[in-house]
Amino acid sequence: MTIIVIAVVVLVLLGLAGVWWLRRRSAAPPATPMAAPERTLGDRLGRTRHAVGDRISALLRRGALDEDLWRELEETLITGDLGVETASQVVEAVRKAKPENPGQARQALKNELVGLFGGRARALELESKPATVVVVGVNGTGKTTSIAKLAHQLGASGRRVVLGAADTFRAGAAEQLQVWASRVGAEFIGGEAGSDPAAVAYSAYQRCRESGADVVIVDTAGRLHSDRNLMEELRKVVRVLSREAGRIDETLLVVDATTGQNAIAQARTFTEAVGVTGIVLTKLDGTARGGVVVAVERELGVPVKLIGVGEGMDDLMPFEPEPFVEALLGG
Ligand SMILES: Nc1nc2c(ncn2[C@@H]2O[C@H](COP(=O)(O)OP(=O)(O)O)[C@@H](O)[C@H]2O)c(=O)[nH]1
Ligand SMILES: [Mg+2]
């Protein structure tokens, strides 16, 4: 009898110990999987950082704040495509701040560069229901890819998106957008090849309302040389959409950073034709001339709202002057 009682007590104790041990084990933090090291903005802007940031660091390391330094600093900023006039203004302002050592010079430079952007509002305004976005720009600048990235990010934040393919001119343009739409889980509206782009924009907006989606994004054509007048066509898209929706929340102009200052003249054609509310500056990962962001914004008079820093879905970021300048200048 006693043996049975002892055996039961031992079994109960063993059971309790087992439960305690299992609990302890599950409370322990899970083994951390090898996380991929996250690429910082500085990494993505690597080429410009190398050409501008690293060179400036090397200049400042020499220690002397003399004429040679100011001249080479100006040259470096020009190399980064900041624009000749802006580069000279920036260097002049840094000199006027009378830095006493390289650290102060770097700080003054950073302040001047950040100051070039002013305190403009840069967040996309997509509060209307549904919100309407039209994306314009020259072929190959990255319109369709940027739309896909934006749709992907809006989707991830719980918004339902309809994509309208109003580039009915170029063969394959609609298919490309359609593939992206299914990949990022957005609805797609296209039209017959050669059909009226404004009619496609109209259908996309109607579809968005019917289905209760949150945002409609309209992709447009970008060829500058053809028998049809692109600017007329874009104005019509904008007109029809504003009439239906009451307003267009964002008209985004996509500019390719790798084409440097040349892109600005082309971009101006678009800002003159339609009321552009923001710039998407793409391919900043592929250029050593990232300073073009300053020139683009200053010369077009429109805020850069988004930057493209790669071909992946997450490679579209809001443009924020201070982190951007810090990433360019490096540590
Ligand atoms: N490296 C890089 N490539 C990009 C970026 N944005 C777009 N592209 C590429 O640029 C090419 C043209 O893009 P696409 O969206 O078709 O241009 P669209 O003609 O204006 O619609 C594609 O190969 C894209 O992958 C970017 O931010 N970085
Ligand atoms: Mg396209």
Side-chain angles (χ1 to χ4, degrees):
M1 188 61 187
T2 3
I3 289 178
I4 293 175
V5 170
I6 289 172
V8 168
V9 168
V10 166
L11 276 178
V12 167
L13 284 176
L14 275 174
L16 286 175
V19 167
W20 173 80
W21 183 77
L22 278 176
R23 283 227 174 147
R24 224 180 73 119
R25 219 172 71 124
S26 61
T32 27
M34 285 289 287
E38 202 175 313
R39 294 184 67 223
T40 63
L41 181 57
D43 296 335
R44 293 160 191 257
L45 300 175
R47 294 182 58 191
T48 304
R49 180 157 78 178
H50 186 66
V52 178
D54 293 357
R55 243 188 101 190
I56 289 173
S57 297
L59 292 177
L60 290 174
R61 264 199 304 276
R62 294 197 314 226
L65 304 182
D66 54 14
E67 285 305 316
D68 281 349
L69 172 73
W70 304 128
R71 187 177 39 77
E72 287 175 63
L73 182 58
E74 190 173 325
E75 278 167 18
T76 308
L77 294 176
I78 293 170
T79 308
D81 228 4
L82 204 66
V84 175
E85 210 174 302
T86 310
S88 111
Q89 279 168 14
V90 165
V91 172
E92 207 37 50
V94 173
R95 290 180 66 159
K96 283 227 177 81
K98 297 205 184 343
E100 288 169 6
N101 54 51
Q104 286 180 6
R106 169 185 280 280
Q107 188 58 43
L109 175 62
K110 190 190 132 189
N111 295 344
E112 284 308 317
L113 291 173
V114 172
L116 291 175
F117 295 102
R120 315 178 91 139
R122 295 171 189 280
L124 292 188
E125 293 194 27
L126 303 177
E127 303 319 315
S128 318
K129 174 82 192 221
T132 45
V133 181
V134 176
V135 178
V136 301
V138 175
N139 271 346
T141 51
K143 288 185 296 298
T144 306
T145 316
S146 299
I147 289 170
K149 292 171 178 173
L150 184 58
H152 169 69
Q153 293 176 14
L154 289 169
S157 68
R159 308 249 228 153
R160 280 172 52 215
V161 181
V162 174
L163 300 182
D167 181 355
T168 57
F169 184 82
R170 193 168 61 85
E175 286 78 2
Q176 189 195 357
L177 190 68
Q178 187 165 23
V179 168
W180 278 122
S182 68
R183 251 188 242 172
V184 303
E187 207 175 324
F188 170 84
I189 297 290
E192 294 289 307
S195 65
D196 182 3
V200 176
Y202 175 85
S203 308
Y205 175 74
Q206 290 305 338
R207 181 71 204 125
C208 191
R209 287 198 51 185
E210 281 159 24
S211 67
D214 303 289
V215 186
V216 57
I217 309 178
V218 175
D219 194 6
T220 63
R223 87 244 156 247
L224 285 174
H225 310 285
S226 75
D227 48 346
R228 279 159 67 183
N229 185 328
L230 176 62
M231 296 307 150
E232 262 320 306
E233 187 178 295
L234 293 178
R235 272 196 284 266
K236 188 171 171 199
V237 167
V238 164
R239 201 163 58 232
V240 166
L241 212 50
S242 333
R243 193 181 61 212
E244 288 310 305
R247 58 175 292 185
I248 294 180
D249 296 272
E250 294 281 359
T251 303
L252 301 175
L253 170 63
V254 180
V255 177
D256 177 342
T258 62
T259 48
Q261 301 251 2
N262 296 341
I264 295 172
Q266 283 186 330
R268 203 171 280 123
T269 324
F270 288 86
T271 56
E272 282 163 6
V274 291
V276 172
T277 58
I279 289 167
V280 182
L281 191 64
T282 58
K283 310 188 197 179
L284 273 169
D285 54 308
T287 176
R289 300 172 154 264
V292 72
V293 62
V294 175
V296 162
E297 181 160 311
R298 286 200 131 188
E299 289 178 40
L300 296 176
V302 180
V304 173
K305 293 192 170 175
L306 299 168
I307 53 175
V309 290
E311 293 187 276
M313 281 299 95
D314 295 312
D315 296 331
L316 185 74
M317 310 174 110
F319 174 67
E320 297 165 325
E322 195 164 337
F324 183 82
V325 168
E326 266 167 14
L328 280 196
L329 292 182

